[in-house]
Amino acid sequence: MIQDLNDNINLPFSLQISFNKLIERYEELANSSDPFIAAKANRVLEIRNLYPILSEGFSKTSVLKKHEKEIEILLQDSFSEVLSLNEIKTASVPYHNFIFNASKRFENIIKTAGPDFQLVIKNMPENDWYILGCTIIMSLCYKFNANFRRPLYYEIPDANGIVRTYKILYNADFMEIVATDKAPKLTEEDFEELLDNFDNIEIWKEKFPPNSYLSKGFVISNIFDVTDDQAISSIKTTLIGNNKRKDEGFMGDFQKVFRSLLNITDLEVGFSIYNKEEDTLMKVHDSSISSYLLKAKEEFKCDNLFCHYSYDKIIKEKTNFAISDVDRSFKKSKGQAPQVKILKQQGVKSAIFAPIAENGELLAVLELVSKTPKALNSINSNKLVDVMPFILSAVKRSKRDEENLIQAIIQRECTSIHPSVKWKFENAARKFMQEEYDGTDNPTFNRITFSNVYPLFGQIDVKGSSDARNNATQKDLSLQLKMVERIIKQAFKTEKLPIFEQLLFQIKIYKKALKTDFKVDSEQIITQFFKNEIETFFKFQLRTKTYLTEDIEDYYSKIDEDLDVLYYYRKNYDDTISLINKNMSSLLDKKQINAQVMYPHFFERFKTDGVEHNMYIGESITKEDSFSEIYLYNLRLWQMQVMIDMEIAFYNKQHKYPIALDVASMILVFNQPLSIRFRTDEKHFDVDGTYNARYEVVKKRVDKANIKGTTERITTKGKLTIVYSQKEDELEYLQYINFLQSKRKLGDEVEILDLEDLQGVTGLKALRVNILYQKQSKEKQSSEKEYYTYNDLMEQIKS
């Protein structure tokens, strides 16, 4: 229970309850010609004479208990018993939760809320109470209207647990504020300083020290249930701006709302969109919406648009920033503050910039400007708090619509885009969209290029995949021919028809060809034989010869329904390739996440008979001034380690694949930066320019190249092959090899080899080094090797 009103209270004044102002009103009523009113007033004055403390003022709550009956008489007219069950009303101390009289309806609402319910005004931060008290002192004692009136609400649960919202209206007719000898004398300069420092509580406490004024009296709170109004507002929040921007009168109506809210007749509204990737503010693509920050520009870098202080407030902290007197700020900053300078050029005298953010992410900036000095300031900027949800909803919808349009343009003109280069496509899409807004004939999507980027290429490829595929095909076709041959021989035993002999002869030729002369078109020829001749024959036999029914039905049970062929060995092969690609791609994608953290770069991969990947790294991709070749070297070393990890992962899972295959890994080194361009016709990036085309030629052919003077392929199982052309590349990669040898990832068998000449490309060399395979098992015997060469690994698998 509170003993004294001023216990644990931090306000610019001390509090006293006093009925002096109320009693003064009854002094006037005592002279009324209405005898009933006069008699009632004289009764109140008798109480004043008997108990002077009630008019002099007190802070001890015990006085309220002591004079409970007298106070009830004083408040009888204010709290009519007739209306007590209808009106929601209280008598209380301002800036305090202490209520000493209330209507029966209010008491019932609180009782229904439950014994643990604490009555708190919901939308007034603690520091704001202090500043509110200061602004009231400014108004009552200094006649300086700071206009900090904001709607206040209670949120109280009802009997069903539904939280209802109540709006509070204060009647302060019975309040007075008196300065004590602790109150400093304030000047016009003091008030001007306060206008731009709403959120600096220390300055307010300096001008209005705690308890430097005396607040006497009480307030009557008239409270209204506005739950329905709040619900309607919530609906408006989700709907505001829907198709509105297409209306010609949109901005006019928008400005009327803010002029009414802030009571400023010449207020104008501007708007700008924040681009996080570029750290810029951009003009809205709508001719009716202007920006006073950008003036006539389409976009502006934020660090060039704001001074350090305003940049931190708006962009980093996402808090309102006010300039109450542009001319004074211009003079004070000597014209060096960019945001002040651009406002002064447009004749603006005061302004508020309100960041619109969600979950800590800045979306846009609302700009309010006036030609009247001090009309807009850091105090009345807080009135925007109550309308920001509506604005945020509109901005989110607008931004979502724009992003959808941008993505639609990108999808139409391009394809799925890697995050590292997405920003450039979005910029091009915005320009494309702006051209459409401006009515440009045949708007064009700008060419997307990145210059001076270093390429990295690697692949882990299935060795002998063509031979393995051919072998699987031969086995399937051979087995299907044997199945057909058995059925036709059975038919020939029963019926000696020449057609059966002819079919058996054809099958014999195909079986021999599969063993001795398998060609590219052999699969197609034999498959057509099954489809055109055997299938026709079997269907006829099923209709006419019952003795073959069981055998033919058994044959069809083994035929793939979709392909109409025996698909067993080929399925094993296809499933193996699919699993290899899936597992290798998954591992590479996971490793890529960490690589992007090291330094952003472009990355893409392709599934073939294995997995290939391209990477490009350079300043033009990151947009930052932070690129150094050290990041290139780091990415090259990362690439080597990932290729080794992929090899280890493959061979540790090899026994789980349907058929046993080997892989070989290769890295291509290109030591000169090049330019890449997005080809809209092919929907992918490719090198730009004739000189750089040499890189693509090497990429496509080098894995099939032989060691010079031999028939041995440069890529081989169990070894990592690094292809290069410059001596400096050789020295660089020998250092990486040495490092990875120390980490027991690579063995000691290092070869330096010359490659045969490719078409238009000569002088290529290769480093080849054996990979050490680590057994991935949680249970490892102490006698087991921890690392294996390829031959060791094969022996381990066979054993």
Side-chain angles (χ1 to χ4, degrees):
M1 179 67 180
I2 297 172
Q3 303 295 321
D4 192 291
L5 296 175
N6 295 299
D7 290 344
N8 302 316
I9 294 297
N10 180 29
L11 289 169
F13 34 62
S14 55
L15 300 171
Q16 285 188 0
I17 296 175
S18 167
F19 299 97
N20 182 56
K21 284 282 186 180
L22 178 64
I23 291 170
E24 286 180 353
R25 177 66 179 136
Y26 278 108
E27 287 177 342
E28 297 173 7
L29 294 175
N31 299 318
S32 173
S33 58
D34 187 321
F36 179 80
I37 294 175
K40 180 67 182 288
N42 284 318
R43 186 184 179 194
V44 170
L45 295 178
E46 285 178 15
I47 293 173
R48 187 263 318 265
N49 295 334
L50 289 171
Y51 308 103
I53 192 172
L54 297 179
S55 57
E56 292 170 358
F58 56 89
S59 62
K60 299 292 184 183
T61 58
S62 58
V63 177
L64 291 168
K65 186 68 176 176
K66 182 178 179 181
H67 298 290
E68 186 175 357
K69 290 184 179 179
E70 291 79 16
I71 293 171
E72 186 178 328
I73 294 170
L74 289 174
L75 296 175
Q76 201 169 62
D77 289 337
S78 301
F79 288 81
S80 170
E81 189 67 26
V82 175
L83 300 174
S84 187
L85 289 171
N86 180 272
E87 291 184 333
I88 311 173
K89 202 171 189 179
T90 66
S92 62
V93 181
Y95 329 111
H96 203 297
N97 286 327
F98 185 74
I99 294 171
F100 59 85
N101 199 70
S103 67
K104 287 185 172 58
R105 185 178 175 191
F106 180 82
E107 291 175 347
N108 291 334
I109 289 170
I110 299 300
K111 183 179 179 180
T112 302
D116 298 327
F117 175 73
Q118 297 290 325
L119 189 66
V120 177
I121 293 175
K122 75 160 189 168
N123 60 329
M124 183 66 79
E126 184 179 346
N127 280 349
D128 286 12
W129 279 116
Y130 194 99
I131 296 171
L132 174 59
C134 295
T135 60
I136 292 173
I137 294 170
M138 290 166 67
S139 178
L140 295 181
C141 298
Y142 294 95
K143 309 303 178 186
F144 193 103
N145 187 9
N147 189 15
F148 184 46
R149 292 189 301 274
R150 285 179 56 195
L152 302 175
Y153 299 91
Y154 287 137
E155 286 188 342
I156 307 173
D158 63 14
N160 298 317
I162 297 173
V163 176
R164 303 194 68 80
T165 303
Y166 296 87
K167 187 174 183 178
I168 310 163
L169 294 180
Y170 286 120
N171 182 342
D173 289 351
F174 309 117
M175 287 294 306
E176 55 186 322
I177 294 177
V178 181
T180 70
D181 54 5
K182 297 179 183 178
K185 299 295 181 183
L186 300 182
T187 65
E188 184 73 16
E189 287 74 19
D190 291 322
F191 294 132
E192 288 180 350
E193 184 179 2
L194 290 169
L195 287 175
D196 285 332
N197 288 282
F198 176 86
D199 55 352
N200 192 333
I201 189 65
E202 298 306 320
I203 292 180
W204 288 92
K205 287 184 176 180
E206 175 192 332
K207 310 299 183 188
F208 301 94
N211 303 317
S212 58
Y213 292 80
L214 175 62
S215 172
K216 294 180 63 176
F218 69 99
V219 292
I220 294 176
S221 302
N222 293 284
I223 303 167
F224 303 91
D225 188 337
V226 294
T227 306
D228 292 343
D229 293 339
Q230 289 295 95
I232 292 170
S233 293
S234 297
I235 294 171
K236 286 181 180 178
T237 302
T238 61
L239 298 178
I240 192 170
N242 192 21
N243 296 323
K244 273 283 190 179
R245 271 175 45 177
K246 297 176 183 178
D247 299 340
E248 291 183 4
F250 166 68
M251 278 309 293
D253 294 338
F254 203 50
Q255 287 179 164
K256 284 180 183 178
V257 173
F258 282 94
R259 287 173 180 175
S260 174
L261 178 70
L262 297 171
N263 196 27
I264 299 171
T265 56
D266 67 349
L267 183 143
E268 302 286 338
V269 179
F271 209 79
S272 48
I273 299 292
Y274 181 67
N275 182 345
K276 182 180 178 182
E277 287 75 18
E278 297 286 340
D279 192 29
T280 59
L281 284 180
M282 303 185 305
K283 189 178 182 296
V284 179
H285 297 300
D286 188 321
S287 58
S288 68
I289 303 176
S290 58
S291 169
Y292 295 92
L293 278 171
L294 299 177
K295 205 177 176 182
K297 290 202 172 189
E298 287 296 321
E299 63 178 303
F300 218 125
K301 274 278 189 183
C302 289
D303 54 2
N304 295 328
L305 187 58
F306 299 107
C307 64
H308 292 305
Y309 179 74
S310 59
Y311 182 92
D312 288 345
K313 294 283 285 183
I314 297 171
I315 307 301
K316 290 186 177 180
E317 299 172 20
K318 288 94 178 172
T319 55
N320 291 357
F321 180 77
I323 304 172
S324 64
D325 192 327
V326 171
D327 291 339
R328 183 164 59 89
S329 296
F330 184 85
K331 184 177 179 182
K332 188 176 180 180
S333 67
K334 298 179 180 177
Q336 297 304 305
Q339 77 280 3
V340 176
K341 184 178 179 181
I342 200 165
L343 291 176
K344 185 173 175 61
Q345 290 172 353
Q346 298 170 85
V348 174
K349 299 299 182 182
S350 60
I352 294 171
F353 303 119
I356 300 163
E358 184 180 42
N359 299 324
E361 183 176 348
L362 182 62
L363 303 178
V365 176
L366 174 68
E367 308 166 7
L368 304 181
V369 300
S370 169
K371 299 292 178 70
T372 306
K374 303 172 189 174
L376 294 165
N377 52 72
S378 70
I379 297 175
N380 61 16
S381 74
N382 285 269
K383 298 186 77 173
L384 299 177
V385 170
D386 301 295
V387 298
M388 274 303 177
F390 299 92
I391 301 170
L392 175 60
S393 177
V395 170
K396 284 166 61 180
R397 176 175 287 104
S398 176
K399 202 166 182 67
R400 184 168 59 248
D401 291 344
E402 180 178 338
E403 286 172 353
N404 289 340
L405 185 54
I406 288 171
Q407 293 304 321
I409 293 171
I410 291 174
Q411 291 297 323
R412 187 177 72 207
E413 300 292 331
C414 313
T415 184
S416 181
I417 304 301
H418 190 264
S420 64
V421 295
K422 188 177 178 182
W423 63 271
K424 194 147 190 173
F425 287 87
E426 290 178 345
N427 286 350
R430 285 192 181 95
K431 290 179 180 177
F432 185 96
M433 188 166 57
Q434 184 63 52
E435 288 183 12
E436 287 189 328
Y437 274 124
D438 294 341
T440 305
D441 292 334
N442 300 319
T444 57
F445 193 85
N446 285 0
R447 177 173 165 172
I448 304 294
T449 59
F450 295 95
S451 58
N452 290 318
V453 295
Y454 290 90
L456 295 92
F457 173 77
Q459 68 174 36
I460 181 166
D461 197 33
V462 174
K463 290 295 291 179
S465 58
S466 296
D467 291 340
R469 176 62 166 72
N470 289 340
N471 185 45
T473 302
Q474 287 173 288
K475 286 183 177 180
D476 276 342
L477 294 176
S478 179
L479 181 57
Q480 190 171 356
L481 285 170
K482 287 179 181 178
M483 292 166 60
V484 171
E485 184 181 42
R486 183 176 61 81
I487 294 172
I488 295 175
K489 282 183 177 179
Q490 179 69 19
F492 187 61
K493 284 181 183 178
T494 306
E495 301 179 78
K496 302 295 183 180
L497 299 178
I499 187 63
F500 294 159
E501 284 189 284
Q502 192 274 328
L503 288 174
L504 290 172
F505 176 75
Q506 189 65 52
I507 290 170
K508 184 178 180 181
I509 291 173
Y510 287 145
K511 286 173 66 177
K512 182 179 179 181
L514 285 175
K515 290 181 180 179
T516 61
D517 191 26
F518 188 74
K519 297 177 181 178
V520 175
D521 60 348
S522 295
E523 179 179 5
Q524 183 181 3
I525 291 170
I526 297 175
T527 300
Q528 287 299 316
F529 169 70
F530 290 137
K531 184 176 181 64
N532 297 333
E533 299 188 44
I534 300 301
E535 188 172 332
T536 302
F537 169 70
F538 280 178
K539 286 181 179 179
F540 172 77
Q541 294 296 319
L542 281 172
R543 291 198 306 269
T544 59
K545 305 292 191 293
T546 57
Y547 68 91
L548 292 176
T549 299
E550 186 176 341
D551 291 331
I552 294 174
E553 287 179 348
D554 178 66
Y555 167 82
Y556 277 119
S557 70
K558 295 179 173 62
I559 299 301
D560 186 274
E561 292 182 0
D562 297 324
L563 302 176
D564 289 329
V565 293
L566 184 69
Y567 182 59
Y568 177 75
Y569 292 104
R570 279 173 290 187
K571 185 177 187 303
N572 286 341
Y573 170 82
D574 291 341
D575 287 349
T576 300
I577 295 296
S578 178
L579 285 169
I580 291 172
N581 286 341
K582 178 183 176 182
N583 293 333
M584 295 301 98
S585 296
S586 176
L587 176 60
L588 184 58
D589 290 344
K590 287 178 182 177
K591 298 284 186 180
Q592 245 294 299
I593 295 172
N594 294 330
Q596 290 291 342
V597 173
M598 296 175 194
Y599 195 83
H601 56 277
F602 176 79
F603 169 82
E604 62 181 354
R605 61 164 173 75
F606 307 97
K607 293 179 182 179
T608 54
D609 285 346
V611 178
E612 299 178 359
H613 66 268
N614 287 317
M615 295 185 289
Y616 298 99
I617 186 171
E619 190 172 302
S620 63
I621 290 176
T622 59
K623 304 177 297 174
E624 298 176 3
D625 225 359
S626 58
F627 178 73
S628 165
E629 288 191 8
I630 191 69
Y631 294 115
L632 169 64
Y633 304 146
N634 185 73
L635 194 59
R636 285 175 172 174
L637 180 57
W638 171 88
Q639 184 187 35
M640 285 184 68
Q641 294 181 84
V642 169
M643 298 299 291
I644 294 167
D645 290 344
M646 290 168 72
E647 282 256 359
I648 293 171
F650 169 79
Y651 282 111
N652 274 282
K653 290 183 178 180
Q654 190 188 41
H655 65 283
K656 296 181 179 180
Y657 297 140
I659 60 175
L661 295 173
D662 285 308
V663 295
S665 298
M666 182 203 74
I667 289 171
L668 174 62
V669 182
F670 197 78
N671 70 342
Q672 294 296 318
L674 45 73
S675 295
I676 57 173
R677 173 167 63 93
F678 187 83
R679 300 187 182 278
T680 55
D681 52 344
E682 299 176 16
K683 309 297 185 189
H684 74 90
F685 276 99
D686 204 349
V687 294
D688 191 24
T690 305
Y691 172 77
N692 296 327
R694 177 174 177 267
Y695 174 71
E696 288 294 331
V697 171
V698 175
K699 229 167 58 172
K700 288 179 173 63
R701 299 176 181 172
V702 69
D703 67 314
K704 301 295 189 293
N706 293 333
I707 299 172
K708 197 166 190 176
T710 73
T711 58
E712 181 185 350
R713 285 276 179 87
I714 193 64
T715 56
T716 188
K717 58 192 178 185
K719 295 185 178 183
L720 176 62
T721 302
I722 303 160
V723 178
Y724 61 95
S725 61
Q726 303 295 321
K727 184 67 176 179
E728 59 197 76
D729 298 329
E730 179 183 305
L731 297 176
E732 178 186 341
Y733 275 85
L734 282 172
Q735 289 182 327
Y736 300 154
I737 290 170
N738 187 44
F739 170 73
L740 293 173
Q741 285 171 332
S742 73
K743 297 291 184 182
R744 300 296 293 154
K745 286 181 174 289
L746 294 175
D748 298 327
E749 301 171 13
V750 180
E751 303 170 273
I752 301 176
L753 306 166
D754 291 322
L755 269 69
E756 66 180 5
D757 293 341
L758 303 177
Q759 184 179 351
V761 181
T762 60
L764 291 178
K765 298 174 71 70
L767 286 167
R768 207 162 66 173
V769 56
N770 62 318
I771 297 169
L772 296 183
Y773 297 91
Q774 185 177 11
K775 187 174 182 180
Q776 295 177 341
S777 173
K778 293 181 180 179
E779 298 178 1
K780 227 182 324 195
Q781 302 297 327
S782 58
S783 60
E784 284 187 299
K785 284 186 177 182
E786 188 175 358
Y787 298 95
Y788 299 83
T789 64
Y790 176 80
N791 291 331
D792 290 336
L793 187 70
M794 291 300 102
E795 290 297 322
Q796 184 77 10
I797 291 172
K798 291 175 184 176
S799 62

